[in-house]
Amino acid sequence: MTASALRAALTAAPMLLALHATGASAALDAATGKALDAAIAGEHRSAENKARDVYRKPREVLEFVGLRRDMTVVEMSPGAGWYTEILGPVLADQGRLYAAQFALNDVPTYQRRLLGSFLTKLAATPDLYKSTVITHFAPPYALEIAPRGSADLVLTFRNLHNWAAENEAGVSWSNVAFKAMYDALKPGGTLGIVDHRWPDPKTENPADRNGYISEERTIRLAEAAGFRFAARSEVLRNPKDTHDHPRGVWTLPPSLALGEQDRDRYLAIGESDRYLLTFTKPTE
């Protein structure tokens, strides 16, 4: 190779890597796509939850992260189970879903109530969740979200901003969360993260409790835990979100923290601007 050709190759390499990092994952296989469509349209999902599909785009998100119906998947801190309603049925026949929920001995009472309502949801249609296993992520005590090295895919939806925020004792649980997710994944497995996007890392204040977190900060945290950045998607970008609301992301729907104040304005914005990133656990 001539010197000029070598220089051209070295110049092109970063651009090729950037293209790879922003590229989409492989398309859904036919069986997974059929199961996913059935779950999204299923009667077990409330009209209220289905109304959020326009913002959360579950089919596009799960296609991007590479979901297959025969996978072992971990859903971190699923809350009320919006995504569990989709993942559980898709994985029911050939896969497994570990739902890493709050623990029974969590101190905040709302967490216990949420866990109770989540268990009630699963019990109402047990056939849809026959391959769903409840585990717990409740640092610093309950950290085994799935058997070590068992998961093909770990997913977390709008949790990282909470883990990265310091609690009353000045402790952030983000490092603990990333280690738990890393330990659960098989080598070569995928981590998918969705969260509320802070648009400019230069103006990001980690002490703010506005619900937003930048992609750049997310990547730093993941890479510090050993993950390798793989890809990003813009499918959840919302250019109407100005990121400067009085009560952070909770000002926007579905929370509408200001009640009737400027309600129509925030409904017109819709749910928050969000990022979708994937990472891989190295095979070496």
Side-chain angles (χ1 to χ4, degrees):
M1 179 181 289
T2 65
S4 59
L6 178 60
R7 284 195 299 272
L10 292 173
T11 301
M15 291 186 287
L16 291 172
L17 288 172
L19 287 172
H20 172 73
T22 56
S25 300
L28 290 167
D29 65 86
T32 300
K34 183 178 179 180
L36 184 53
D37 289 339
I40 292 171
E43 294 183 358
H44 66 290
R45 300 184 68 216
S46 68
E48 180 181 11
N49 280 357
K50 288 181 178 180
R52 303 180 73 178
D53 291 353
V54 66
Y55 300 113
R56 297 191 168 186
K57 299 179 172 61
R59 194 183 204 281
E60 293 91 330
V61 167
L62 294 174
E63 179 174 8
F64 184 80
V65 300
L67 178 70
R68 296 192 319 271
R69 66 182 185 139
D70 61 349
M71 280 181 162
T72 295
V73 178
V74 178
E75 183 184 3
M76 292 289 287
S77 300
W82 193 93
Y83 256 102
T84 312
E85 291 181 349
I86 298 169
L87 291 167
V90 171
L91 299 167
D93 291 329
Q94 296 189 19
R96 172 158 292 185
L97 174 64
Y98 289 100
Q101 262 289 7
F102 298 122
L104 287 171
N105 61 349
D106 277 332
V107 175
T109 56
Y110 83 88
Q111 293 182 356
R112 296 183 187 184
R113 290 197 303 270
L114 201 56
L115 175 58
S117 63
F118 181 82
L119 295 174
T120 300
K121 177 196 294 285
L122 269 57
T125 50
D127 287 348
L128 298 181
Y129 304 107
K130 60 188 177 184
S131 295
T132 299
V133 178
I134 306 298
T135 58
H136 301 287
F137 179 69
Y141 306 112
L143 303 176
E144 188 174 348
I145 59 176
R148 183 181 289 266
S150 65
D152 302 288
L153 177 64
V154 175
L155 298 171
T156 174
F157 301 101
R158 304 171 314 282
N159 291 308
L160 182 56
H161 65 274
N162 286 322
W163 297 333
E166 292 185 353
N167 61 19
E168 293 78 2
V171 177
S172 165
W173 296 122
S174 58
N175 292 340
V176 174
F178 275 108
K179 185 179 187 306
M181 295 187 289
Y182 191 93
D183 288 347
L185 275 170
K186 299 174 181 177
T190 298
L191 168 64
I193 303 179
V194 171
D195 219 316
H196 311 283
R197 181 196 340 251
W198 184 257
D200 184 0
K202 296 178 182 177
T203 62
E204 184 176 21
N205 182 356
D208 283 344
R209 289 182 171 270
N210 56 18
Y212 292 101
I213 184 169
S214 68
E215 292 183 51
E216 292 80 1
R217 187 176 168 208
T218 300
I219 292 170
R220 287 198 307 271
L221 290 169
E223 290 182 339
F227 287 102
R228 293 176 182 169
F229 174 59
R232 62 164 45 88
S233 170
E234 297 297 312
V235 69
L236 299 177
R237 182 177 289 277
N238 180 0
K240 296 180 181 179
D241 184 1
T242 56
H243 310 88
D244 60 354
H245 315 296
R247 297 192 182 175
V249 296
W250 302 280
T251 311
L252 300 174
S255 298
L256 294 170
L258 296 181
E260 293 302 315
Q261 180 182 338
D262 294 325
R263 179 184 179 89
D264 290 343
R265 171 189 170 191
Y266 295 121
L267 285 174
I269 293 173
E271 294 194 16
S272 66
D273 179 30
R274 295 167 186 172
Y275 62 73
L276 168 58
L277 304 176
T278 59
F279 301 84
T280 57
K281 179 175 178 175
T283 56
E284 299 177 350

